[in-house]
């Protein structure tokens, strides 16, 4: 029987790991500085698993030695305590020196980044030392390895986690969050490295059965590992949220205050834990996680893949312990090579999801194409290559060419055209379109003859229907492939969510096609009732 020394077995995550180990037939040694508390934890485990091997070892990680670890009789050390932010890997060093395997659930960016320095010693000792065996980075990276398998390009990556309102909140977890909240966090965004404030941004994300929640920027090892492992062209983010929404907003405001006044919030951890407890009576108690990739799949098509996990009330806190449990089982089975590294690219996703079964954790995966092919359907694939390329290129793309424009047909039409930013009449001019497509919407920034105007396409629906928003006004369009062309027709319009009279609706005569040189060709005429033509612009584009 393999015996595992669990440091932090009385904590939120360590207790779940200890129970999982006993369920799989491992022996457990509960490590603690005080005998009374350690015996209490061991007694609860023995009561839950009669006949299981549960022992106690008095250890202090601050003065831990290899001899003390060997004396426990364990062959694997699991460090489930924290916080790991700013800490040194003293327990891992002692375990390697003792010739014991090691795992932890460190989610500290600095700790995980420095951990490979132990690799040479671990190889020499013939032991596996894995860190980050938790929701981040082990589970998030295993999901992405699975979602993007065979992909030709990854454009952007995002992972988000939102625990339930009544999930236990440990002091070490709160201290870890406060260590980076409101402080500069290095992120890969818009194709380059930049700095943003921790817990900034109020993003809305759909967590499926767990509902739509707010999340903000969270510092985790994934901010380094996503760009290093998947090479996204544009960005790699990790976001986190709190339930209920009011608690998340308070944390967001605190982050702003920390950024403004530059004070250390870590000493407030106990107070903030108490305040968070007051919020636990409201908000959803479902824990949830969401991982998304956007890029070019194995077939060369733009694709957005989303994986979601939902935990029923009371089960969410088990999730961070499951990658550690899967890693320990793999080590015990001899499937992990010696060495010290982060637990990424080590465990297949199925090894972790197998551990979810006893807890009723539900996962779902959704894969969908870009906005235009989702709206148009199978007929999209029959369009000429140049049309498909412009409408299916994921992320940011820039298209340049030449155009001619015809201006407004009268003074009132000219005034309306000027407000929108439509160009004046020009016989020949430069044309540029910058498109930002994220799978849910496409932002088109046009510059024709020195005049700039933008619109956002979104809400793809069957039958070729999409919405295009110009400022506060939105047009409901129908896209129809006709003989190698893509024809646009206006079906209605709105001011915000309010439908406007159809007889006042602007009309569009617009189509796209390919010329003899294989270039993307556009021809757009926009008219308004009572005003006449606002603009006509036509020309060609090629990708810059």
């Amino acid at each position: 029987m393999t015996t595992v020394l669990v440091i932090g077995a009385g904590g939120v995550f360590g207790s779940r790991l200890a129970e999982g180990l006993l369920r799989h037939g491992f022996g457990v040694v509960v490590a603690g500085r005080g005998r009374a508390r350690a015996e209490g934890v061991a007694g609860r485990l023995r009561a839950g698993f009669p006949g299981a091997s549960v022992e106690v070892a008095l250890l202090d990680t601050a003065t831990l030695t290899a001899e003390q670890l060997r004396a426990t009789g364990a062959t694997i050390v699991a460090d489930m305590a924290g916080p790991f932010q700013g800490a040194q890997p003293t327990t891992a060093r002692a375990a390697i020196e003792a010739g014991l395997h090691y795992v932890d659930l460190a989610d500290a960016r600095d700790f995980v980044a420095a951990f490979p320095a132990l690799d040479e010693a671990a190889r020499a000792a013939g032991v596996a030392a894995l860190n980050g065996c938790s929701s981040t980075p082990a589970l998030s990276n295993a999901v992405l390895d699975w979602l993007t398998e065979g992909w030709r390009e990854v454009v952007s990556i995002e992972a988000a986690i939102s625990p339930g309102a009544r999930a236990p909140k440990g002091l070490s977890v709160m201290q870890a969050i406060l260590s980076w909240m409101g402080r500069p966090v290095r992120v890969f965004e818009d194709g380059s490295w930049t700095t943003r404030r921790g817990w900034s941004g109020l993003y809305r994300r759909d967590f499926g059965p767990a509902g739509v929640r707010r999340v903000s920027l969270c510092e985790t090892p994934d901010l380094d590992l996503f760009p290093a492992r998947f090479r996204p062209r544009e960005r790699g983010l990790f976001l986190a949220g709190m339930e209920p929404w009011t608690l998340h907003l308070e944390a967001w405001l605190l982050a702003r205050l920390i950024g403004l006044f530059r004070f250390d919030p870590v000493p407030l951890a106990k107070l903030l834990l108490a305040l968070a407890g007051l919020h636990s009576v409201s908000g959803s108690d479902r824990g949830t996680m969401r991982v998304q990739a956007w890029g070019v799949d194995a077939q060369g098509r733009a694709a957005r893949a989303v994986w979601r996990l939902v935990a029923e009330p009371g089960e969410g806190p088990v999730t961070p312990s499951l990658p550690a449990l899967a890693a320990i089982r793999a080590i015990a089975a001899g499937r992990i090579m010696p060495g010290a590294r982060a637990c990424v690219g080590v465990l297949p996703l199925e090894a972790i999801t197998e551990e979810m079964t006893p807890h009723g954790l539900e996962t779902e995966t959704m894969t969908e194409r870009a906005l235009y092919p989702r709206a148009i359907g199978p007929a999209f694939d029959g369009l000429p290559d140049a049309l498909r390329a412009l409408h299916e290129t994921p992320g940011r793309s820039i298209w340049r060419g030449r155009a001619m424009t015809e201006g407004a047909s009268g003074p009132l039409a000219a005034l309306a055209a000027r407000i929108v930013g439509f160009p004046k009449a020009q016989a020949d001019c430069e044309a540029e379109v910058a498109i930002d497509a994220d799978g849910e919407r496409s932002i088109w920034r046009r510059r024709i003859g020195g005049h700039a105007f933008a619109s956002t396409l979104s809400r793809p629906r069957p039958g070729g229907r999409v919405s295009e928003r110009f400022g506060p006004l939105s047009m409901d369009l129908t896209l129809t492939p006709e003989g190698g062309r893509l024809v646009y027709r206006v079906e209605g319009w709105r001011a915000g969510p309010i439908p406007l009279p159809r007889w006042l609706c602007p009309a569009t005569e617009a189509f796209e096609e390919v010329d003899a040189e294989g270039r993307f060709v556009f021809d757009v005429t926009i008219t308004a009732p009572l005003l006449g033509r606002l603009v006509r612009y036509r020309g060609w584009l090629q990708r810059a």
Side-chain angles (χ1 to χ4, degrees):
M1 178 177 62
T2 302
T3 300
V4 181
L5 174 71
V6 181
I7 298 171
V12 174
F13 307 128
S15 60
R16 269 71 174 185
L17 175 65
E19 292 167 3
L21 290 169
L22 293 173
R23 189 178 297 112
H24 283 296
F26 287 85
V28 168
V29 178
V30 175
R33 286 178 293 181
R35 180 170 293 279
R37 186 167 187 267
E39 288 288 0
V41 172
R44 289 194 295 272
L45 292 173
R46 293 184 188 115
F49 298 87
S53 174
V54 181
E55 303 296 335
V56 169
L58 297 183
L59 298 172
D60 186 342
T61 55
T63 58
L64 193 63
T65 66
E67 291 74 17
Q68 289 174 321
L69 289 179
R70 277 194 290 262
T72 66
T75 55
I76 302 174
V77 177
D79 189 352
M80 307 298 283
F84 292 92
Q85 280 77 4
Q88 293 295 316
T90 53
T91 303
R93 285 197 191 102
I96 293 170
E97 184 182 344
L100 306 181
H101 301 291
Y102 169 89
V103 301
D104 67 38
L105 47 60
D107 61 356
R109 188 176 183 178
D110 56 344
F111 190 90
V112 173
F115 197 79
L118 304 178
D119 184 60
E120 184 177 349
R123 289 177 183 272
V127 299
L130 301 177
N131 79 326
C133 305
S134 187
S135 303
T136 167
L139 177 55
S140 54
N141 277 264
V143 171
L144 285 166
D145 285 336
W146 182 65
L147 289 180
T148 63
E149 184 177 3
W151 279 25
R152 301 182 184 181
E153 181 187 25
V154 175
V155 173
S156 66
I157 289 171
E158 179 185 287
I161 190 167
S162 177
R166 285 170 286 286
K169 300 173 178 67
L171 178 62
S172 62
V173 173
M174 180 62 74
Q175 291 171 333
I177 294 172
L178 292 175
S179 70
W180 49 259
M181 182 178 281
R183 297 174 179 175
V185 173
R186 188 167 177 262
V187 296
F188 184 76
E189 196 166 24
D190 295 328
S192 62
W193 288 98
T194 187
T195 300
R196 285 178 47 191
R197 188 179 65 253
W199 211 264
S200 61
L202 287 173
Y203 305 96
R204 295 177 76 253
R205 291 295 181 264
D206 183 3
F207 287 91
V212 176
R213 299 188 182 184
R214 299 280 183 171
V215 288
S216 299
L217 177 64
C218 176
E219 181 163 63
T220 76
D222 283 327
L223 295 182
D224 291 322
L225 293 168
F226 286 168
R229 297 191 70 239
F230 299 98
R231 305 292 180 186
R233 171 158 47 97
E234 294 187 358
R235 70 173 189 168
L237 294 182
F238 196 99
L239 311 173
M242 296 181 181
E243 274 289 292
W245 153 240
T246 51
L247 178 61
H248 185 91
L249 180 60
E250 289 168 11
W252 180 83
L253 292 171
L254 175 62
R256 292 186 65 86
L257 290 174
I258 295 169
L260 286 172
F261 298 104
R262 301 181 184 278
F263 62 93
D264 181 8
V266 175
L268 302 175
K270 289 185 178 179
L271 173 62
L272 295 175
L273 270 178
L275 294 175
L278 298 177
H279 286 277
S280 64
V281 296
S282 61
S284 171
D285 199 28
R286 282 178 154 183
T288 184
M289 183 173 179
R290 181 181 188 271
V291 181
Q292 173 181 297
W294 169 237
V296 181
D297 67 14
Q299 288 73 44
R301 304 179 303 190
R304 185 168 73 104
V306 179
W307 178 92
R308 290 187 286 230
L309 176 150
V310 176
E312 292 304 317
E315 293 291 352
V318 77
T319 307
S321 71
L322 299 181
L325 180 56
I328 290 171
R329 293 185 67 193
I331 289 172
R335 296 195 297 268
I336 306 295
M337 297 294 293
R341 57 204 180 276
C343 188
V344 296
V346 174
L347 298 173
L349 179 60
E350 55 267 24
I352 302 175
T353 55
E354 179 184 340
E355 306 300 340
M356 298 180 182
T357 304
H359 308 283
L361 303 183
E362 297 182 0
T363 64
E364 63 177 10
T365 304
M366 176 186 69
T367 302
E368 58 186 13
R369 298 183 64 183
L371 186 148
Y372 269 64
R374 293 211 320 267
I376 296 170
F380 177 85
D381 292 327
L383 291 170
D385 291 348
L387 270 62
R388 288 188 287 108
L390 185 138
H391 292 303
E392 203 177 20
T393 298
R396 163 158 286 206
S397 58
I398 297 176
W399 307 77
R400 295 192 179 105
R402 308 295 298 180
M404 65 82 63
T405 63
E406 298 176 25
S409 59
L412 290 178
L415 177 61
R418 184 176 180 181
I419 293 172
V420 176
F422 290 149
K424 298 178 180 179
Q426 298 182 68
D428 181 60
C429 58
E430 293 182 349
E432 178 181 289
V433 180
I435 302 175
D436 285 289
D438 65 6
E440 296 183 9
R441 62 188 59 82
S442 293
I443 302 173
W444 289 46
R445 296 179 177 89
R446 306 168 180 86
R447 180 171 293 276
I448 300 178
H451 293 263
F453 58 104
S455 65
T456 300
L457 289 107
S458 62
R459 300 180 61 227
R461 286 99 71 199
R465 295 178 297 164
V466 299
S467 296
E468 185 170 19
R469 178 173 57 82
F470 293 86
L473 298 178
S474 295
M475 306 294 173
D476 294 322
L477 306 177
T478 299
L479 314 176
T480 309
E482 294 181 0
R485 287 183 170 185
L486 183 59
V487 179
Y488 290 62
R489 295 183 175 89
V490 177
E491 304 293 340
W493 68 321
R494 289 169 286 111
I498 303 171
L500 297 176
R502 179 69 183 272
W503 63 274
L504 287 175
C505 181
T508 298
E509 295 180 14
F511 65 87
E512 300 165 350
E513 61 182 358
V514 175
D515 65 12
E517 297 179 48
R519 301 177 302 194
F520 177 93
V521 172
F522 58 91
D523 193 324
V524 180
T525 302
I526 301 175
T527 61
L530 307 179
L531 299 181
R533 186 183 67 233
L534 301 180
V535 71
R536 182 189 182 192
Y537 53 94
R538 54 191 173 93
W540 58 268
L541 297 169
Q542 290 181 315
R543 187 169 181 181

